[in-house]
Amino acid sequence: MQEIKVTKNEAGQRLDKLLAKYLNEAPKSFFYKMMRKKNIVLNGKKATGNEKLEEGDIVKLFLADETIRKFSSVKIQRTKTNLSVIYEDQDVVLINKPVGMLSQKAKESDVSLVEHLISYLLDAGELSEETLKSFRPSICNRLDRNTSGIVVAGKSLPGLQKMGELFKERTLHKYYRCLVQGVIREDQYLKGWLKKDEKTNKVQILDRPSDPSDQPIETEYHPLWTKEGVTLLEVRLITGKTHQIRAHLASEGHPLIGDYKYGDRKLNDFYQKKYGLKSQLLHAYRLEFPVMEGVCSQLSEKVFIADVPPLFAKICKESRSER
């Protein structure tokens, strides 16, 4: 027999959802059958699976240890990467993701920020293999592999849910820094439609939708400084779609420096040869939280900044002084 005591990381979900995580190798029919036979009970009573769990509830599994081991597996990819943590509390952690790191797995063999986060929390003693059976911390927003900057992760289920809500409702303001081709002297507010080609993983910006799958996008930017040929922008990402900033600015004639997918190859080759630049100069720089109550209220109206990578800073410094 094994006992699961419901913590804040399991509370709020249905019992069958918890069992599907804990007995992740078992077919759903198995644990529904076990509940009917009272081999799995909630607070000592027969359960159906649709009960909403509360903190302190007790789920008992009257199953052989061998059966539980057979149906319960935890896959952990331990890493040794030192994360750049900007802020951390009991519910969330803000990380400055470096260029070259995936936000989430694209294929099973990948190692992403999620795996680094789990290793970080295991090393800190805030997670164990046992707790990973019923809850896995994860990230709440994604950045392209070669975009650096702030990624928000949920350490607890309430934190994960609250941050997901803020991103969905767009009340959490995200600002980026990017170096672009061309001279921009005035603020701009851009609207359009984004069409994605899944085969090429490339997007196109349209004035109006041509297909129901096209997505509306909004991008706002403010020039911080400009010299002949380049401008450093602060971009507010109002909607967050695939390659939105890169494609939207390129469609306006201002592709990002270092962006071979949407940018100017000749200019990018110059920066690659001079600086060794191999990725677009795009950095998720600042995050502004709204007024908040309840879960994560400690973040109410807080502002967090992630320093740009050293190469980004070097190129900006020399571009500004040399031109």
Side-chain angles (χ1 to χ4, degrees), residues 84-108:
S84 176
V85 174
I86 300 167
Y87 170 84
E88 184 175 4
D89 61 31
Q90 71 274 15
D91 294 309
V92 301
V93 55
L94 274 56
I95 300 161
N96 189 356
K97 184 189 85 68
V99 168
M101 182 183 288
L102 284 169
S103 292
Q104 287 182 310
K105 284 175 176 285
K107 55 183 183 294
E108 186 61 31

Side-chain angles (χ1 to χ4, degrees), residues 189-222:
Y189 185 95
L190 306 175
K191 298 181 78 171
W193 296 82
L194 184 145
K195 175 182 285 296
K196 184 175 181 181
D197 186 331
E198 297 288 350
K199 292 182 180 179
T200 62
N201 192 32
K202 194 170 181 179
V203 303
Q204 180 183 0
I205 306 301
L206 309 173
D207 291 330
R208 56 183 63 85
S210 61
D211 186 87
S213 64
D214 296 345
Q215 300 174 310
I217 57 170
E218 298 176 55
T219 311
E220 184 178 33
Y221 62 78
H222 166 71

Side-chain angles (χ1 to χ4, degrees), residues 2 38 138 215 269 278:
Q2 285 193 20
K38 294 185 72 174
S138 189
Q215 300 174 310
D269 286 345
K278 297 178 181 179

Side-chain angles (χ1 to χ4, degrees), residues 112-129:
S112 72
L113 179 56
V114 175
E115 284 68 55
H116 295 307
L117 169 67
I118 289 173
S119 290
Y120 169 79
L121 295 173
L122 284 167
D123 290 342
E126 296 190 47
L127 274 183
S128 66
E129 286 197 26

Side-chain angles (χ1 to χ4, degrees), residues 189-288:
Y189 185 95
L190 306 175
K191 298 181 78 171
W193 296 82
L194 184 145
K195 175 182 285 296
K196 184 175 181 181
D197 186 331
E198 297 288 350
K199 292 182 180 179
T200 62
N201 192 32
K202 194 170 181 179
V203 303
Q204 180 183 0
I205 306 301
L206 309 173
D207 291 330
R208 56 183 63 85
S210 61
D211 186 87
S213 64
D214 296 345
Q215 300 174 310
I217 57 170
E218 298 176 55
T219 311
E220 184 178 33
Y221 62 78
H222 166 71
L224 298 172
W225 56 259
T226 186
K227 288 285 184 177
E228 185 180 349
V230 296
T231 302
L232 181 66
L233 293 179
E234 178 161 283
V235 179
R236 181 187 168 205
L237 194 59
I238 299 168
T239 54
K241 306 300 181 184
T242 303
H243 300 174
Q244 179 179 324
I245 292 175
R246 298 163 62 188
H248 218 169
L249 287 167
S251 73
E252 293 291 308
H254 300 293
L256 274 63
I257 301 298
D259 189 350
Y260 278 92
K261 182 163 281 193
Y262 299 102
D264 183 318
R265 174 168 289 277
K266 186 176 179 180
L267 184 62
N268 292 337
D269 286 345
F270 167 79
Y271 277 89
Q272 186 179 64
K273 184 176 180 181
K274 183 172 182 179
Y275 296 102
L277 181 66
K278 297 178 181 179
S279 61
Q280 68 270 3
L281 292 178
L282 178 62
H283 179 73
Y285 179 73
R286 191 167 83 249
L287 206 58
E288 297 182 355

